[in-house]
Amino acid sequence: MDGLREAERDGASSVTCLPLDARHGAATIWSRVAEQAGRWLTERGLQSRDAVLILPFAQHLAPARRAWMQQGSWLPRVETTHSLASALAPSGLAEALQITFDAAIDALSAKALLAQQSWAQALRRQDGRAFDLAVDRLVEAAQQLLRAAHQRAPQQREAFWAEARIAVQAETPGRFESALAQVALEWAASDARPAATDVLFDLRPSAWIVLQAGGADPLAQALLRRAAERGIPALALIADVALDEVAHAPALLEQALCEDFEDLAQCSAASVLAHLHAGRAPVALIAQDRVLLRRVRALLERRGVGLADETGWTLATSPAAAHLMSLLRACSAQASLDEWLALLKSEPCRQLRGHLDEQALPALEALCRKRGWRTPQSVRFDDLSEASLSLWRLARSAVRQFTEGPAERSLQDWLDGLKQLLQRLQADEPLLALDAGQALLDALWLQRQPWPGSAHEHMLLNTELDHAGFLAWIDQTLEAQQYLPPAPDQAQVIVTPLARAMLRPFGAIVLPGADAQLGAATAGPALISDRLATRLGLPSLQQRREASALAFAQLLRADALTLLRCTRQGSEPLAASPLLDRLSMALQQAGLAGMQVWSDPRAATEIAPRPQGRAAAQAPGRVPASLSASAIESLRDCPYQFFARVQLKLQDSPELEAELDKSDYGSWLHALLHRFHEQRGEQPDAELLTKLADELAKDLAPAEFLPYRSSFDRFAVRYLEWLAAHEAAGAQYEAGEQSRELQPWADASHALAPLVLRGRLDRIDRQADGSLLLIDYKTGSAARLKEKVARPPEDTQLAVYAALMRDSGAMLQALYLALDDSSGIVAVNHAEVEQSAALLLNGLEQDLLAMEQGAPLPALGEGRACGFCEMRGLCRRDDWSEEAL
């Protein structure tokens, strides 16, 4: 503004303010702009067709041109500074190591520059993450400084760089930060290319007309000062209004107070719909919070509302990027089996899957989960079906060709390899068919080539990266690129940032998130302090705050404005934005009515309570063909659990990426003890046990298994001590991992004659009196096992094992062997196990016959089994109503 006032005093420029009143509302302000500018040109005898009208944003071009045509006179050239510069001359090409404003390429250039600094390389060796952060800050500061220089007239840049050098050297927050800031400054200053907008300073229109909204534009101010120096008439139209001096309010100004995030999203969507129903279209939806906005969009799209999003999203969050990254992660030498299955399911492999049986992939995944394979190397080809094996080999072969070669190669070589990989997988068309697919391929230089001699070509050819570095570069590239989805022809709602909503003829504006975050200034470059920014004429913290206030004040030109905010964030109260407080005070001082309380248009729907009772099922004639000990225990714990697990065969799919837990440790101990007792011979027991433990541990993730493996030495000593005492009493190992079957009711006339009991016994020992001792290994606490056998008929597992061994002709005894109890190896005997087996078979026969005849299988909803049941969601235990039980 100061520059405009100076130009006005020189007599070559005029300044006209456009007040915030009924005549300058969002729907009519462009007519006022055309009237004021047309009158000013006529009074000075200037030709409007030779004048240039500069606007703040590209979204202002269409309404400005329409308003001027309605005046019935020649249109001036209506442009933004960037659109006018692009029309006049092409932008200069960034050469090697020059700033491109492409964050990923500039980061590579910054690393190359820092490679020449010993202090930076020392940091890189000591702390790679800190070095990467320093690179990001260097790029951020250099780009900001170069932008600031380009907003000045060409004749003033040398003075700017000289002043910047003095100012940066005077800043001493820290030796490292100061050195980094000086590198950023010299990097930016070394770029001698003319700015793309330099052609504007040589332009000689009949007049310059500049519209200012949201704060002063340094480039526009520089153009007006240059016009004053050359005697070119200029007019500055100032639409900015201080929020504290507002003396006009929209016809509908309302505020909604919401309880939480979901309530805020619903109220925002309801407010948009209410404005549309009232005929206020299009509605501007101000993008303050991206997470909130996604929820509001989802609610509006359910109602068929057409939205145009001017904010877009980062390319990294697009479906095309997700599928490409799944491919690249699978190419890593450390890729997990889960990442490989994700690749085979992704769009890049759709054509590959199309050539094979459609069941090849489901069968492969099911087998991987069943076998517990965790890495691609653990997949056993002999177990795969022909189709699954073909799919696996095709994908592995394609990726192998991409990864073969030197560990480090040029970025261009990586990209060429990626192109070939996509061609081998026939993935080009599937990627292009996805949202942002074309933008993705262009951003990664997969379907275009950089200009010869450009900075992009130089960095692609001369940057050496390993696979992890290549992935990091792709991620950085996609994070820096914005994708704007195509807008519908008739958009009812336009999602736009606060600044770009200024002076646009919206029917209504909805601003969700008008809390303390609204008006808070965004952080500037970390290497440029607020004092340094003020000295160099860069946007300071106070200027950024004031720009937000000016942009907010422009919303008051709309006919309807709805402000929504949460009153609490979790358990903490959440204050309103200071901008709302300033607005309330301004309205009060102007004698205007304050903000109305938003009227919620949502219709309340009464839902009649429907108490949920205990779940139950019936399955007449559906007795399973076989039962295991765990199935029988499930029936005894909860009939409904048995119905879901055994009769419906519902089960959780095991996670391939799940961390090792106590059950994995138990399986390892089972396998270890079985091999140990099968291979005992001349070698000492302690040496054999240690050797077998090391062999079996190779199949497990070393880092995850380390806590369990570290306690093995203590276990080995305890177990060998127990074993010595056990064998001294006359017991000898006879067999382990024995699979047994039994038809308890084999009589052909019996309704349960076909049913088979199955089980696998951990271990069978022969005792001195000739009886058989059935041993089941456990890694739980001995106290829990003692609870199980305190009432022998209630223990299922050992009773089933005894039933399976009843045709052995020997007396049977049984015990649980607690291997991991804090007090050592503990044997927990099951007294009179043969009697328990007989009782179990008798009770099981009655239960199964009742089930066969249609007896209900209720959910018990009680006891320890219910607390950890994976079928809890199926029986709706947490939704049962006490009055319905």
Side-chain angles (χ1 to χ4, degrees):
M1 189 70 180
D2 292 340
L4 300 179
R5 294 298 183 190
E6 291 173 4
E8 185 181 22
R9 285 196 296 271
D10 291 339
S13 295
S14 301
V15 176
T16 300
C17 293
L18 303 176
L20 176 57
D21 56 26
R23 293 189 68 252
H24 294 80
T28 57
I29 191 168
W30 293 108
S31 297
R32 305 288 87 77
V33 168
E35 290 173 3
Q36 294 279 6
R39 184 182 307 114
W40 180 83
L41 290 169
T42 301
E43 290 172 354
R44 286 157 178 75
L46 301 173
Q47 294 294 327
S48 61
R49 63 186 177 187
D50 297 326
V52 175
L53 171 60
I54 298 295
L55 303 177
F57 298 110
Q59 289 81 1
H60 295 152
L61 297 178
R65 288 167 180 164
R66 284 196 299 267
W68 203 285
M69 286 189 292
Q70 291 173 358
Q71 300 297 318
S73 59
W74 284 96
L75 263 71
R77 188 161 191 172
V78 182
E79 303 279 1
T80 65
T81 52
H82 294 290
S83 69
L84 180 57
S86 298
L88 293 175
S91 301
L93 190 66
E95 299 178 359
L97 298 181
Q98 288 183 333
I99 297 174
T100 65
F101 295 103
D102 180 332
I105 293 296
D106 286 345
L108 297 177
S109 299
K111 289 179 181 179
L113 290 173
L114 291 180
Q116 305 169 17
Q117 309 292 327
S118 59
W119 50 269
Q121 290 309 300
L123 175 65
R124 187 173 196 172
R125 290 190 296 270
Q126 295 169 3
D127 191 341
R129 296 183 65 181
F131 177 79
D132 291 339
L133 179 60
V135 168
D136 292 341
R137 290 181 172 179
L138 172 61
V139 171
E140 180 185 47
Q143 290 181 347
Q144 178 79 342
L145 288 167
L146 189 57
R147 286 193 183 96
H150 285 175
Q151 289 176 333
R152 285 160 172 76
Q155 301 83 354
Q156 298 175 346
R157 287 199 192 123
E158 285 302 322
F160 171 78
W161 292 124
E163 173 65 18
R165 289 186 178 95
I166 296 172
V168 168
Q169 290 175 1
E171 288 280 315
T172 56
R175 294 179 60 187
F176 177 77
E177 289 80 1
S178 178
L180 207 59
Q182 291 184 47
V183 173
L185 172 61
E186 296 305 329
W187 184 21
S190 66
D191 193 338
R193 288 175 299 160
T197 53
D198 282 358
V199 293
L200 302 182
F201 292 93
D202 296 327
L203 195 63
R204 297 189 66 91
S206 63
W208 286 101
I209 305 172
V210 174
L211 176 64
Q212 176 179 307
D217 179 358
L219 180 58
Q221 286 187 338
L223 286 173
L224 291 180
R225 285 192 291 269
R226 180 62 173 166
E229 294 171 0
R230 303 172 70 186
I232 301 175
L235 170 65
L237 298 172
I238 311 298
D240 286 329
V241 177
L243 186 58
D244 302 315
E245 301 173 1
V246 166
H248 172 78
L252 177 61
L253 176 60
E254 53 187 1
Q255 180 182 197
L257 303 180
C258 308
E259 296 179 357
D260 52 27
F261 174 89
E262 181 61 23
D263 189 35
L264 177 60
Q266 291 188 15
C267 291
S268 300
S271 179
V272 170
L273 293 173
H275 286 308
L276 292 177
H277 292 161
R280 306 184 193 105
V283 176
L285 180 60
I286 305 300
Q288 285 287 112
D289 182 335
R290 296 301 302 175
V291 177
L292 173 65
L293 190 61
R294 282 197 296 268
R295 178 62 180 146
V296 177
R297 284 195 60 161
L299 294 171
L300 292 174
E301 286 170 351
R302 291 179 188 175
R303 301 295 297 269
V305 175
L307 289 95
D309 191 345
E310 295 180 353
T311 62
W313 57 76
T314 60
L315 207 51
T317 61
S318 66
H323 288 299
L324 181 66
M325 293 306 291
S326 72
L327 169 60
L328 293 173
R329 281 191 292 269
C331 295
S332 170
Q334 293 77 35
S336 66
L337 185 55
D338 223 7
E339 288 171 329
W340 266 91
L341 291 175
L343 165 64
L344 294 175
K345 296 176 187 176
S346 67
E347 278 299 299
C349 285
R350 177 163 57 84
Q351 299 278 38
L352 195 67
R353 297 192 305 269
H355 299 311
L356 300 168
D357 182 358
E358 61 181 12
Q359 292 303 313
L361 179 55
L364 173 62
E365 181 175 8
L367 188 61
C368 290
R369 297 186 184 280
K370 182 179 179 181
R371 295 285 191 270
W373 295 331
R374 297 167 64 87
T375 65
Q377 294 76 21
S378 63
V379 175
R380 301 291 181 261
F381 294 165
D382 295 343
D383 295 341
L384 301 181
S385 67
E386 183 178 348
S388 297
L389 180 59
S390 297
L391 176 62
W392 181 256
R393 281 180 167 168
L394 285 171
R396 294 283 287 180
S397 174
V399 169
R400 189 180 302 112
Q401 294 178 58
F402 172 66
T403 55
E404 286 177 345
E408 289 197 2
R409 60 190 84 166
S410 72
L411 182 52
Q412 185 62 61
D413 288 342
W414 280 114
L415 292 174
D416 290 341
L418 181 55
K419 289 180 191 177
Q420 296 168 11
L421 175 59
L422 293 176
Q423 291 170 2
R424 284 192 293 270
L425 294 175
Q426 304 175 49
D428 299 77
E429 290 186 8
L431 274 177
L432 283 172
L434 295 171
D435 285 343
Q438 184 64 62
L440 173 92
L441 296 176
D442 288 343
L444 297 178
W445 303 95
L446 295 174
Q447 286 198 343
R448 59 181 181 135
Q449 293 293 328
W451 286 98
S454 66
H456 285 83
E457 183 191 56
H458 176 82
M459 298 315 301
L460 293 183
L461 293 175
N462 294 282
T463 301
E464 296 287 323
L465 298 172
D466 58 12
H467 184 266
F470 178 56
L471 256 65
W473 177 81
I474 285 185
D475 188 60
Q476 188 175 17
T477 299
L478 299 182
E479 283 288 347
Q481 298 284 339
Q482 288 291 117
Y483 172 69
L484 293 177
D489 295 334
Q490 297 294 328
Q492 299 169 283
V493 177
I494 298 175
V495 181
T496 189
L498 176 62
R500 293 186 187 176
M502 297 186 299
L503 307 182
R504 296 175 66 182
F506 294 119
I509 298 177
V510 175
L511 194 160
D515 51 39
Q517 296 302 315
L518 176 63
T522 57
L527 297 178
I528 301 177
S529 67
D530 196 53
R531 181 177 60 181
L532 180 60
T534 302
R535 181 170 177 178
L536 297 181
L538 276 64
S540 64
L541 180 64
Q542 181 58 36
Q543 288 174 329
R544 293 195 296 272
R545 285 176 178 164
E546 190 55 35
S548 296
L550 292 173
F552 178 74
Q554 292 297 328
L555 301 185
L556 301 175
R557 295 187 188 274
D559 291 333
L561 174 60
T562 303
L563 307 170
L564 305 100
R565 67 179 181 90
C566 283
T567 57
R568 305 186 71 82
Q569 186 172 25
S571 60
E572 298 294 327
L574 187 61
S577 168
L579 298 182
L580 267 65
D581 295 335
R582 291 174 62 182
L583 174 60
S584 297
M585 294 178 61
L587 294 176
Q588 184 177 4
Q589 291 176 358
L592 300 174
M595 290 179 280
Q596 304 176 25
V597 177
W598 180 68
S599 178
D600 192 344
R602 294 176 294 174
T605 303
E606 290 189 7
I607 301 176
R610 293 187 297 171
Q612 299 297 307
R614 193 184 302 273
Q618 287 180 297
R622 297 202 51 176
V623 174
S626 63
L627 291 175
S628 64
S630 60
I632 296 171
E633 188 162 15
S634 180
L635 177 60
R636 302 180 82 183
D637 286 341
C638 176
Y640 192 86
Q641 184 186 86
F642 174 85
F643 166 74
R645 283 184 182 174
V646 180
Q647 294 185 300
L648 296 183
K649 293 181 170 49
L650 301 179
Q651 59 182 350
D652 287 335
S653 295
E655 291 292 336
L656 295 174
E657 288 296 296
E659 295 183 358
L660 292 177
D661 56 18
K662 198 65 174 289
S663 64
D664 296 300
Y665 176 58
S667 300
W668 180 78
L669 276 181
H670 277 64
L672 172 64
L673 294 179
H674 176 61
R675 289 194 186 186
F676 170 71
H677 285 286
E678 290 290 330
Q679 297 181 24
R680 285 179 76 189
E682 299 298 328
Q683 189 174 4
D685 286 346
E687 293 182 9
L688 177 61
L689 195 57
T690 301
K691 173 188 173 184
L692 293 174
D694 292 336
E695 290 177 357
L696 287 171
K698 292 178 181 179
D699 295 333
L700 301 174
E704 295 179 18
F705 189 63
L706 182 61
Y708 300 111
R709 183 63 179 83
S710 62
S711 64
F712 169 75
D713 292 338
R714 182 180 61 179
F715 162 78
V717 172
R718 289 178 171 182
Y719 182 76
L720 293 177
E721 290 176 352
W722 173 86
L723 181 62
H726 180 64
E727 292 181 340
Q732 292 295 325
Y733 175 82
E734 186 162 297
E737 299 297 329
Q738 290 290 299
S739 296
R740 305 280 295 185
E741 292 186 357
L742 172 70
Q743 285 183 276
W745 308 283
D747 187 347
S749 62
H750 199 290
L752 302 176
L755 188 139
V756 177
L757 293 187
R758 291 192 172 95
R760 179 184 290 269
L761 285 68
D762 289 346
R763 176 172 165 183
I764 304 171
D765 282 7
R766 178 74 65 175
Q767 302 195 97
D769 60 1
S771 64
L772 294 179
L773 177 63
L774 312 180
I775 300 177
D776 193 70
Y777 299 132
K778 294 294 183 184
T779 54
S781 68
R784 173 75 185 280
L785 297 173
K786 290 175 181 178
E787 288 180 13
K788 291 184 69 173
V789 301
R791 291 175 291 178
E794 298 297 322
D795 179 36
T796 302
Q797 189 168 0
L798 291 179
V800 170
Y801 291 168
L804 292 172
M805 292 293 294
R806 71 180 185 179
D807 60 351
S808 64
M811 293 181 58
L812 300 176
Q813 298 182 48
L815 61 82
Y816 290 111
L817 191 62
L819 302 174
D820 197 38
D821 191 76
S822 59
S823 60
I825 307 297
V826 181
V828 182
N829 291 292
H830 182 118
E832 301 177 346
V833 71
E834 290 185 279
Q835 294 183 16
S836 296
L839 290 172
L840 181 139
L841 290 177
N842 183 53
L844 181 62
E845 179 183 18
Q846 296 177 25
D847 291 342
L848 293 177
L849 288 174
M851 186 190 309
E852 174 75 15
Q853 296 169 8
L857 300 171
L860 300 183
E862 300 170 357
R864 184 180 288 122
C866 184
F868 299 95
C869 178
E870 71 275 19
M871 303 303 166
R872 190 181 182 97
L874 187 65
C875 76
R876 306 281 184 176
R877 174 64 185 87
D878 298 313
D879 297 327
W880 294 357
S881 303
E882 296 300 326
E883 62 270 20
L885 297 180

